[in-house]
Amino acid sequence: MRLLPAVRRTAAGLAVGLVLLGTGGPALAEDARPTVDPSAPSPTAPYENGPPQGHAPDGSTVGGEGLDTRGLVTTAGAPALPEGIDARGWLVADATTGAVLGARDPHGRYYPASTLKTLTLLTLAPVLDHDLVVEGTEEDEGIEGSRVGLVRGGQYSVDLLFRALMMQSGNDAANALARAAGGVESAVAAMNETAERLGAADTVAGTPSGLDVAGQSSSPYDLALIMRQLVADPYALDVLQTRTAQMPPVPGLSEGYQIQNEDTLLDTYPGTLGGKNGFTDAARHTFVAAAERDGRRLVVSVMQAERLPVSARDQAARLLDWGFAVPADARGVGRLVEPGEVPMVAVPEGSGTADGELSTEDAAALSASAARTRGPDMALVSDGGDARSPWVPVALAAGAAGIVTATLVGRRRAARRVPPSGPAAGPPPHRSPSRHPADPGPA
């Protein structure tokens, strides 16, 4: 027996929606979508034998089979690569055409460190009220790694928090933004849904800040996908290009102070649209950026690089120079996919009938699998109730329509509207001490 097409689409959509709700269980295929493991020890060093290689849920290589490599690949006719590129993974692509001009281990699932904050911005900026004021907490004050200096009781607009997130890699700003979005769990779930929508199959978010957690990952390819979307969005581009901002005073606890953008490429590399750095012991140095020259936009990503002899930023700048030297009409060794292009839920083999429609039995199996993935603690709640995730009503509605949409319906704990504090001069923001004399702290 076959389902009618409309019913089949609705059942499949509902199953997909429920699968997206799961943050701890497997998808339809055991290895279709990796997940983080918060119970495992946090990684403290890079993968000894290199990171796992990512792929789409159906086993294909996102962006084309030319990118199915752990080594080096460049487009035909490209000039020689610059010296000093020691990053274990990197990628250069044309942000307009999507052509990948060159890469090394493009789908290696590396630890991203704070380059993951690009996904945080891309996910939360469209759904949070930028005028909403979030109150700082003791948890913000004590967050691990780089901090912009949020203080308990301080009043910070979401807009300012986005700028602090990107300009100074504030893990405390990431925590406050996640709280405004309904909590860390909800924000991370939304980030993973955004990654799936983009086709970023190698990216698994476990934190909104990029602090290491077992199983968290991104790839040179995925960071380029994310940055391509950021620089195409006027608000995100404005955030990336902000040079300075003022943190408000907190009476009796903190004076106001100015913060500056850590992305030195903005002032040293002509045409830079924006960039984001990262560092942890496990990720080493990571960097992603975009630049424009003569109307041509390129994106570059660098992962697991070392500070010496050539910093990750300088490696990115050299790769951008190389990319701009590649002819604009170069075919590319692969391409950056468009949002929604890559199916992120694998359909079991043989699930279709002779005419390609889903059988009643397989539709039921999909729904059962989705229910198992969702877990017993993610039940629906009425208005005003609390839940482990605010996504259930959204996913059910999306399933009924045969599609999946991402809409944040988050709690607004420790958030309320108050007039923003005026700018003031004062001491520089708090920064965590480095854990290595030659390296910054986790960022």
Side-chain angles (χ1 to χ4, degrees), residues 164 283 306-307 389 422:
E306 292 301 330
R307 183 172 177 267
S389 171

PDB file of all heavy atoms in Angstrom, residues 164 283 306-307 389 422:
ATOM      1  N   ALA A 164      30.597  42.221  20.843  1.00  0.00           N
ATOM      2  CA  ALA A 164      31.580  41.685  21.787  1.00  0.00           C
ATOM      3  C   ALA A 164      31.952  40.242  21.445  1.00  0.00           C
ATOM      4  O   ALA A 164      33.103  39.821  21.611  1.00  0.00           O
ATOM      5  CB  ALA A 164      31.029  41.766  23.207  1.00  0.00           C
ATOM      6  N   ALA A 283      42.350  22.664  19.306  1.00  0.00           N
ATOM      7  CA  ALA A 283      42.167  23.189  17.949  1.00  0.00           C
ATOM      8  C   ALA A 283      43.441  23.789  17.390  1.00  0.00           C
ATOM      9  O   ALA A 283      43.620  23.853  16.175  1.00  0.00           O
ATOM     10  CB  ALA A 283      41.067  24.252  17.958  1.00  0.00           C
ATOM     11  N   GLU A 306      49.839  26.754  13.445  1.00  0.00           N
ATOM     12  CA  GLU A 306      50.666  27.157  14.578  1.00  0.00           C
ATOM     13  C   GLU A 306      50.973  28.646  14.482  1.00  0.00           C
ATOM     14  O   GLU A 306      50.894  29.244  13.415  1.00  0.00           O
ATOM     15  CB  GLU A 306      51.955  26.343  14.627  1.00  0.00           C
ATOM     16  CG  GLU A 306      51.735  24.872  14.959  1.00  0.00           C
ATOM     17  CD  GLU A 306      51.040  24.645  16.301  1.00  0.00           C
ATOM     18  OE1 GLU A 306      51.217  25.482  17.212  1.00  0.00           O
ATOM     19  OE2 GLU A 306      50.332  23.627  16.449  1.00  0.00           O
ATOM     20  N   ARG A 307      51.312  29.226  15.606  1.00  0.00           N
ATOM     21  CA  ARG A 307      51.563  30.666  15.665  1.00  0.00           C
ATOM     22  C   ARG A 307      52.838  31.053  14.914  1.00  0.00           C
ATOM     23  O   ARG A 307      52.919  32.125  14.318  1.00  0.00           O
ATOM     24  CB  ARG A 307      51.655  31.099  17.129  1.00  0.00           C
ATOM     25  CG  ARG A 307      51.847  32.583  17.341  1.00  0.00           C
ATOM     26  CD  ARG A 307      51.731  32.906  18.831  1.00  0.00           C
ATOM     27  NE  ARG A 307      51.975  34.319  19.081  1.00  0.00           N
ATOM     28  CZ  ARG A 307      53.156  34.832  19.386  1.00  0.00           C
ATOM     29  NH1 ARG A 307      54.213  34.022  19.466  1.00  0.00           N
ATOM     30  NH2 ARG A 307      53.311  36.115  19.597  1.00  0.00           N
ATOM     31  N   SER A 389      13.533  21.659  25.573  1.00  0.00           N
ATOM     32  CA  SER A 389      13.750  22.341  24.298  1.00  0.00           C
ATOM     33  C   SER A 389      12.489  23.073  23.890  1.00  0.00           C
ATOM     34  O   SER A 389      11.389  22.556  24.017  1.00  0.00           O
ATOM     35  CB  SER A 389      14.112  21.324  23.206  1.00  0.00           C
ATOM     36  OG  SER A 389      14.119  21.945  21.944  1.00  0.00           O
ATOM     37  N   GLY A 422      24.876  54.773  28.641  1.00  0.00           N
ATOM     38  CA  GLY A 422      25.673  55.577  27.737  1.00  0.00           C
ATOM     39  C   GLY A 422      27.118  55.149  27.752  1.00  0.00           C
ATOM     40  O   GLY A 422      27.593  54.468  28.659  1.00  0.00           O
TER      41      GLY A 422
END
